[in-house]
Amino acid sequence: MSRPEIGKSVKTGEFTTNYLEQGEGFPLIFIHGSGPGVSAYANWRLVLPKVAEVAHCYGPDMIGFGYSSKPTDVKYGRELWTKQIIDFMNALGIEQADFVGNSFGGSLSLSVAVNYPERVRKIVMMGPMGVEFNISYGLNEVWGYQPSPENMMQMLDLFTFNKKFANKDLANVRYQASIEPGFQEAFSSMFPAPRQRSVDDLSFPDDVIKTVKHEALIVHGREDLVIPVENSYRLINLLPNSELHIFRGCGHWTQIEKSDEFATLVKGFVTR
């Protein structure tokens, strides 16, 4: 049985990172979100092949997610994942890259831009964390997920505006991914209650965000129930070289509900 979610693997510090790779050109690193059963493939399978027409695309699974290492004796948080991204770039000889980050991946892309500005050319933040905000009901539910087909269906319902994308087949695929060995053990240790602490860990003060001079494209679904669209309105006012695209009739999964439009936006942004 073919497993498209399992790509290549590389040693990143003490851990092993599973990643997808496609295309050629300037490096573009896709950082997935933090939902249960997520992987680079689950997040980016519709977008990566299209963007790979103009860039050398990489989609790593972050530590604790997908098919990368799932240690249970580490402190999960922004510091660990940011280090993994830099270790990943170093291991593959990537001096500088563009970034596309979804949700928690938006925060991690911003973290690389803040802490290693010379390693970043441009960033795309989609439905992003990164600014300080009070945890939403939707995000609290996502991070508190307990495995069952019903709970996964409820997750998909939170993620999507157009319910054709929240079908039982996808729910089953994501549920099966969420119960693979080690998945839930790692996931349940990442964002313990009170989960506001994890939001705070993945957030930057406004004055720090203002120092990021990279070109930034911010994308959000207007009907996002997981990360409030207000986050992106704040980011456009804080990031000095940014632009904002809001999709109407779209939830948290812009890259799935508006995959063609999102890929077109990203391709235009990274090639200009």
Side-chain angles (χ1 to χ4, degrees), residues 191-266:
F191 309 112
R195 298 188 180 93
Q196 182 65 42
R197 287 184 309 199
S198 296
V199 172
D200 296 344
D201 174 60
L202 288 160
S203 303
F204 291 94
D206 288 3
D207 59 346
V208 172
I209 297 173
K210 285 178 180 173
T211 66
V212 175
K213 300 295 194 286
H214 305 79
E215 278 189 72
L217 169 65
I218 308 157
V219 182
H220 220 119
R222 193 185 67 172
E223 286 77 21
D224 192 333
L225 298 177
V226 180
I227 303 296
V229 69
E230 287 73 23
N231 275 20
S232 286
Y233 291 130
R234 284 176 55 206
L235 282 165
I236 185 79
N237 287 313
L238 293 170
L239 290 165
N241 293 309
S242 60
E243 57 196 77
L244 173 62
H245 191 104
I246 303 283
F247 283 103
R248 184 176 178 174
C250 182
H252 189 52
W253 271 358
T254 312
Q255 84 283 17
I256 289 171
E257 292 191 74
K258 303 286 183 184
S259 60
D260 286 347
E261 297 92 331
F262 180 70
T264 299
L265 274 178
V266 172

Side-chain angles (χ1 to χ4, degrees), residues 82-100:
T82 303
K83 182 178 185 305
Q84 179 197 5
I85 293 168
I86 295 300
D87 287 341
F88 178 77
M89 293 177 76
N90 291 344
L92 295 178
I94 301 169
E95 289 293 316
Q96 191 184 48
D98 294 331
F99 283 84
V100 179

Side-chain angles (χ1 to χ4, degrees), residues 145-155 171 175 178-179:
Y145 167 84
Q146 292 297 320
S148 77
E150 298 72 29
N151 288 349
M152 185 55 83
M153 196 67 208
Q154 189 190 345
M155 288 300 100
Y175 165 66
S178 79
I179 58 169

Side-chain angles (χ1 to χ4, degrees), residues 56 135 228:
H56 191 157
I135 192 166

Side-chain angles (χ1 to χ4, degrees), residues 73-206:
D73 57 346
V74 297
K75 184 177 186 295
Y76 281 104
R78 178 163 52 88
E79 195 176 316
L80 177 82
W81 289 310
T82 303
K83 182 178 185 305
Q84 179 197 5
I85 293 168
I86 295 300
D87 287 341
F88 178 77
M89 293 177 76
N90 291 344
L92 295 178
I94 301 169
E95 289 293 316
Q96 191 184 48
D98 294 331
F99 283 84
V100 179
N102 167 24
S103 193
F104 124 119
S107 165
L108 296 178
S109 300
L110 188 61
S111 180
V112 178
V114 167
N115 293 294
Y116 303 91
E118 73 287 352
R119 305 302 294 268
V120 180
R121 188 180 69 160
K122 299 180 180 184
I123 53 174
V124 180
M125 303 170 72
M126 189 193 81
M129 301 181 69
V131 292
E132 295 167 327
F133 69 103
N134 292 326
I135 192 166
S136 65
Y137 166 80
L139 182 58
N140 199 51
E141 288 292 297
V142 169
W143 281 354
Y145 167 84
Q146 292 297 320
S148 77
E150 298 72 29
N151 288 349
M152 185 55 83
M153 196 67 208
Q154 189 190 345
M155 288 300 100
L156 299 195
D157 213 45
L158 277 170
F159 280 128
T160 54
F161 174 78
N162 184 336
K163 297 312 170 196
K164 79 174 187 186
F165 294 103
N167 58 59
K168 284 191 172 164
D169 287 346
L170 179 59
N172 188 51
V173 167
R174 287 290 292 257
Y175 165 66
Q176 293 299 334
S178 79
I179 58 169
E180 291 230 1
F183 275 45
Q184 185 60 18
E185 291 83 349
F187 186 72
S188 62
S189 71
M190 275 179 208
F191 309 112
R195 298 188 180 93
Q196 182 65 42
R197 287 184 309 199
S198 296
V199 172
D200 296 344
D201 174 60
L202 288 160
S203 303
F204 291 94
D206 288 3

